[in-house]
C-alpha cells in the first residue's frame, strides 16, 4: 500500500487532525503543508503562528488549553514589556519567544523559512515533514467594515469582530511553493491528500493561492479528502461560520464542500450533518469530527485515511500531469 | 549650594555608586553618562548592557546576586532557545528580553538610543537622568592573544581570559555626545562630576573617546572626583587588574590615578590604599570603597560629594570654556 500522506493545514483545528494522522501513520510518512498567510512582523520578530502551532502540536509541546503557544509557559516577558509601555495586544510566552527570535535571526542570516522550519521541527523531535506553503511572504488581508486589516490585527487585535467583505492574499501571485511541496503532491507513493478542518477562507485558500498548488492537487494520483470545519453550522473555534455569513454564504458543511468542488474527491462531515447534500462527484463520509481527546484525533485520522482508500477519483485533472 | 551631579559610569561597579548618589541627592539631581562601548547586536537584538544595569539598579529591579539582569527573573527563553539550537553564550532572562526587544523595535522605528533610554527609565520610575554617552554606535574592540575581539565576545564569551594588548573604540572618532551630555557638564548648577569605580580602559575610556567629552570635562567649573576601581591592587569584580598588568601597568589605585592625571581634581582610594602616592595636583581622599550593602553605597556617595566640595580645582582647562 502507498504510504505517504499530505495534509494542508491552518492552525489549531488543522493541527489536531495532523497530530491524529501523525500518530496513526509511520512517523516519517506525513507531510504538513502549512498556511503562512497569517505570518507577520511584531516587535521586529518574524512570527509564523500556524507553523508554530503545527510544530508545537506535533512535538507535544503545545498548550492543551489555549490551543496556541507552549505548555508550561511563563510570562515574564509580557509583564516586563507592559512596564516599558510596549504593545500588549499580541501575547508572546517566554519560551515561545525563543522560536520567534531564533527564526528571525536565521531569516536575517539568509536562511529560508522552509529550511529554518525543517531544522527547528527536527530539533524538537518532529519526524513529520512540516513545510510552509511558500518561502515568499504571502499576507492575508481582510476588507472589513473597519477597513482593510492585516490578518493578526483582525484575528487577535480585534477578536474577529469586524464584518469581512473581501479577502486577498498579498504576494501570492508572485510566490512559489516552498521546496518539497509540489514534489510531495507528485510523489507516486502518495496515499492521500487531506484538507484539514481549517477555515477555508483564511487557512486553506491562501495555500491554494500559491501558483502551482491547485494544478498539483488536480494532477496528483492520490485521492483528496477534506474534513468539514463546521459541525451543525458552527465552527469548533474561530470565525469560519461568522465569516461565511458575512461573505453571503450559508454557514454549513455543504457550503464548505461546494467551495471545494472540483478540488476534492471526498468530504468528511460530522454525524450531525449526515444529511448534508454535497455537490455531485464528492463522496460523503460521515464520522464524529469533534476532536476533544487525543483518541478523537487518532480516530478521525484513521477514518480519513480509510475513507480516502474508498474514494473514487472524481475531480477533473489538468491533463498535464500524471 | 549647587545641586546637580554627573557621574560617568560603566556597568556594575559604577551602578553601585550611582545608586548611592541617587539615594543621597534629590531624586532629579543626578545625571548618569553611561558607557555604550559594550553595546552589541545579539540574536538581532540591540543590547546595551551598561545602560540596562544602570536603569535596573536605579529602578530597584536589578538582581542583587548576579549584578546584571533583573531580580526574580525566569529563564524559559534560554531553555527553549537551547532546544532550538540557538546560541547559549549570552544569557537573556525572560523579563530582561522585553528591554532588548522593545529597544530594538524603537530604534528600528527611528528613535535614538537616548530617547528610548530616557523613556524607559521614566516608565520604570527612575528620576535620575540616564544618558548614553552617544547615540552613535561606538564599539570597544580588544586586541588579544586570541586576535581582535568584540567586547562581549571577550567579556562574556571568553570570560576575559585572553591577554589584552590593545584597545580601540570603533566609531568613536565620528561619534558625538548624546543630547544632554555636554549641557550637563556645562550646567552652572553642577556641584560635582564623579568618575565611577569602573574599569578605566573599557568603561571610562570609551566615554572619554567621544569627541567633546574631554574638553567639556576640562571646562566644567565643578570639581571632578574619581573613585578607584581597585582595592589593594585587585578589582572587586571584572578584569581591571588583569588588564592593567597585561597592558604593562601596575595594578594599583595610584596607577589608575595616573591615568586620570590632568582630568581629575580628587581621587578616592580605599583605606587599604591610604598610602597610595598620587600624581601631583590630585587630592587624595581615603574612605572605605567596598560597596557590599546599600548603606555602603550611600556612605560612599556622601563621601564623594563631601570630598568634591573640598577639592581645589587643579586640572588644566582648555581655555575655551566657562
Amino acid at each position: 500500500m502507498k504510504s505517504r500522506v499530505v495534509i494542508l493545514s491552518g492552525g489549531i483545528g488543522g493541527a489536531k487532525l495532523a497530530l491524529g494522522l501523525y500518530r496513526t501513520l509511520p512517523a516519517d510518512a506525513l507531510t504538513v503543508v502549512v498556511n503562512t498567510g497569517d505570518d507577520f512582523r511584531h516587535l521586529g520578530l518574524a512570527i509564523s503562528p500556524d507553523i508554530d502551532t503545527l510544530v508545537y502540536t506535533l512535538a507535544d509541546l503545545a498548550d492543551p488549553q489555549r490551543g496556541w503557544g507552549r505548555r508550561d509557559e511563563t510570562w515574564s516577558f509580557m509583564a516586563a514589556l507592559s512596564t516599558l509601555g510596549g504593545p500588549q495586544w499580541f501575547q508572546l510566552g517566554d519560551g515561545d519567544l525563543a522560536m520567534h527570535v531564533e527564526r528571525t535571526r536565521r531569516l536575517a542570516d539568509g536562511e529560508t523559512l522552509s529550511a529554518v522550519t525543517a531544522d527547528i521541527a527536527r530539533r524538537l523531535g518532529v519526524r513529520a515533514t512540516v513545510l510552509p506553503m511558500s518561502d515568499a511572504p504571502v499576507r492575508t488581508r481582510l476588507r472589513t467594515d473597519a477597513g482593510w486589516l492585516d490578518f493578526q490585527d483582525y484575528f487577535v487585535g480585534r477578536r474577529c469582530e469586524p464584518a469581512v467583505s473581501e479577502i486577498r492574499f498579498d504576494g501570492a501571485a508572485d510566490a512559489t511553493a516552498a521546496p518539497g511541496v509540489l514534489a510531495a503532491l507528485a510523489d507516486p507513493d502518495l496515499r492521500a491528500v487531506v484538507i484539514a478542518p481549517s477555515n477555508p477562507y483564511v487557512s486553506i485558500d491562501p495555500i491554494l493561492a500559491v501558483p502551482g498548488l491547485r494544478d498539483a492537487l488536480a494532477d496528483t494520483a492520490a485521492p483528496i479528502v477534506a474534513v468539514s470545519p463546521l459541525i451543525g453550522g458552527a465552527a469548533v473555534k474561530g470565525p469560519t461560520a461568522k465569516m461565511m455569513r458575512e461573505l453571503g454564504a450559508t454557514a454549513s458543511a455543504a457550503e464548505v464542500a461546494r467551495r471545494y468542488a472540483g478540488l476534492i474527491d471526498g468530504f468528511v462531515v460530522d454525524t450531525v450533518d449526515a444529511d448534508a447534500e454535497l455537490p455531485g462527484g464528492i463522496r460523503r463520509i460521515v464520522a464524529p469530527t469533534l476532536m476533544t481527546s487525543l483518541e478523537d484525533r487518532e480516530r478521525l485520522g484513521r477514518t480519513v485515511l480509510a475513507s480516502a482508500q474508498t474514494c473514487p477519483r472524481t475531480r477533473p485533472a489538468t491533463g498535464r500531469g500524471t
Side-chain angles (χ1 to χ4, degrees), chain A:
Chain A
M1 193 171 70
K2 295 181 177 181
S3 68
R4 301 200 59 85
V5 173
V6 170
I7 181 170
L8 313 186
S9 179
I12 299 174
K16 288 182 180 177
L17 181 55
L19 179 63
L21 291 168
Y22 181 55
R23 293 177 59 93
T24 301
L25 292 164
D28 57 357
L30 183 67
T31 296
V32 191
V33 177
V34 187
N35 169 42
T36 57
D38 300 6
D39 292 15
F40 74 128
R41 285 255 163 191
H42 180 60
L43 296 169
L45 302 174
I47 300 182
S48 296
D50 286 357
I51 287 178
D52 292 348
T53 295
L54 257 298
V55 170
Y56 289 148
T57 298
L58 297 181
D60 195 23
L61 292 172
D63 183 275
Q65 264 68 55
R66 285 192 312 274
W68 54 269
R70 298 174 65 119
R71 68 167 79 222
D72 305 325
E73 186 61 286
T74 62
W75 300 92
S76 302
F77 172 81
M78 290 304 298
L81 188 66
S82 172
T83 66
L84 302 184
Q88 294 291 299
W89 66 274
F90 195 86
Q91 294 285 307
L92 292 165
D94 298 330
D96 187 35
L97 259 177
M99 183 73 97
H100 312 305
V101 169
E102 180 69 355
R103 175 168 43 224
T104 305
R105 178 183 78 80
R106 293 177 64 167
L107 292 175
D109 282 351
E111 289 190 66
T112 61
L113 180 59
S114 53
V116 174
T117 302
D119 184 61
I120 285 177
R122 183 186 61 76
R123 289 178 184 272
L124 295 180
V126 175
R127 294 187 58 201
T129 303
V130 180
L131 299 174
M133 65 193 199
S134 177
D135 282 331
V138 176
R139 296 295 171 260
T140 298
R141 304 249 309 149
L142 301 102
R143 182 170 168 145
T144 73
D145 52 10
W148 277 101
L149 301 177
D150 291 337
F151 182 80
Q152 296 297 340
D153 182 12
Y154 162 81
F155 191 72
V156 179
R158 300 172 191 243
R159 300 182 300 282
C160 308
E161 286 165 2
V164 176
S165 55
E166 187 183 345
I167 302 167
R168 70 181 194 212
F169 309 113
D170 287 1
D174 300 321
T176 53
V181 171
L182 300 184
L185 293 172
D187 189 337
D189 193 35
L190 189 61
R191 175 174 166 187
V193 176
V194 179
I195 297 180
S198 301
N199 186 313
Y201 298 92
V202 295
S203 295
I204 303 301
D205 273 2
I207 302 175
L208 300 177
V210 175
L213 253 294
R214 278 187 181 272
D215 283 352
L217 289 168
D219 289 340
T220 185
I224 304 181
V225 176
V227 179
S228 174
L230 296 184
I231 299 178
V236 176
K237 198 175 175 91
T240 304
K242 170 176 181 289
M243 201 178 275
M244 290 182 82
R245 288 189 295 270
E246 290 163 359
L247 290 166
T250 307
S252 70
E255 182 67 24
V256 174
R258 276 191 283 280
R259 283 188 59 79
Y260 291 148
L263 182 74
I264 61 176
D265 305 302
F267 192 70
V268 180
V269 298
D270 192 78
T271 47
V272 304
D273 296 311
D275 297 333
E277 291 191 20
L278 306 190
I282 299 181
R283 183 188 179 106
R284 180 174 62 201
I285 302 110
V286 179
T289 60
L290 186 64
M291 293 177 280
T292 306
S293 67
L294 186 57
E295 291 66 36
D296 293 339
R297 293 161 173 73
E298 294 175 359
R299 187 177 57 240
L300 184 57
R302 282 192 298 269
T303 298
V304 168
L305 293 178
S307 66
Q309 298 308 117
T310 67
C311 274
R313 179 185 167 130
T314 56
R315 67 191 193 278
T318 61
R320 299 185 310 192
T322 57

